[in-house]
Amino acid sequence: EEQVKAALARTYFNLGVLQAQRGRFVVAGEQFEQAAGVAPEFPQVQSSLGIAYFNARQFDKATGPLGRALAATPNDAGVRRMLAMAWLNTREYEKAAELFGQDPEIGKDASLQFAYGLALAKSGRAPQAQEVFSRLLATHGDSTELSVLLGKAYAQMGDFDSAVEYLQKARRSRPDAAE
């Protein structure tokens, strides 16, 4: 019976992989879900399920399997980042901030820093968010895109004077910027 379960799980898993390769993430998620239903511990099934849901923009469904995958492989930075982004997209800002704060690449990746700062700001930790945004500016320069992102972040924190300052700065540097 165990061999039959393993073979069935492998079949569903492989069907999910094929669907994911075609960019059909909702269908891939359904196949990975079937595999997980047959054999929840099947190798890579939880991370694959979470990734499929994430890529299908079903962030609420992605958090469970990504959380289980991270518990099984706590040093997997890719799974941790994806789970943090899923938490951010489901407005679980505290959880997102905690995971982003543990990321060893946080000081090197501007998009991770911005997401971390946003999670901090949305979870009510404005002073920490401002520190992250200040480091982001100091490290990654003064681009129009970064000014727009910072303007939006400050607006979300309720610091409208800083928001206006950064958005006007972006507009001055590139008047045709859509944002």
Side-chain angles (χ1 to χ4, degrees):
E1 184 176 325
E2 288 303 313
Q3 288 179 336
V4 171
K5 279 186 177 183
L8 186 57
R10 186 176 306 103
T11 301
Y12 281 126
F13 184 83
N14 289 336
L15 288 170
V17 169
L18 290 172
Q19 295 298 336
Q21 289 172 340
R22 291 183 173 155
R24 298 168 67 188
F25 299 111
V26 172
V27 178
E30 292 168 358
Q31 297 300 316
F32 292 135
E33 210 172 271
Q34 291 291 330
V38 173
E41 302 302 319
F42 189 82
Q44 301 296 313
V45 75
Q46 295 299 326
S47 60
S48 297
L49 178 57
I51 292 167
Y53 284 147
F54 186 91
N55 287 331
R57 304 189 60 76
Q58 295 177 335
F59 303 113
D60 56 328
K61 291 174 87 173
T63 58
L66 288 172
R68 289 187 291 277
L70 185 59
T73 56
N75 294 325
D76 189 327
V79 170
R80 182 183 302 109
R81 285 182 196 123
M82 195 169 284
L83 179 57
M85 289 302 295
W87 284 129
L88 189 64
N89 281 292
T90 57
R91 297 185 172 100
E92 292 287 345
Y93 302 117
E94 281 289 332
K95 293 176 181 179
E98 180 183 332
L99 290 178
F100 282 128
Q102 297 171 10
D103 197 303
E105 298 293 314
I106 196 75
K108 300 173 189 171
D109 186 319
S111 61
L112 284 177
Q113 287 176 6
F114 178 76
Y116 180 43
L118 184 60
L120 289 168
K122 292 288 205 167
S123 63
R125 300 188 306 192
Q128 288 175 286
Q130 288 177 330
E131 285 178 31
V132 170
F133 292 140
S134 294
R135 280 195 310 272
L136 185 61
L137 267 176
T139 306
H140 296 285
D142 197 18
S143 72
T144 301
E145 294 78 10
L146 183 56
S147 292
V148 169
L149 291 174
L150 290 172
K152 287 181 174 184
Y154 280 117
Q156 290 176 347
M157 288 188 296
D159 184 349
F160 299 111
D161 291 336
S162 294
V164 168
E165 176 187 335
Y166 279 102
L167 291 173
Q168 286 178 338
K169 185 177 186 178
R171 194 166 168 209
R172 282 190 303 273
S173 69
R174 205 169 96 208
D176 64 333
E179 296 287 340

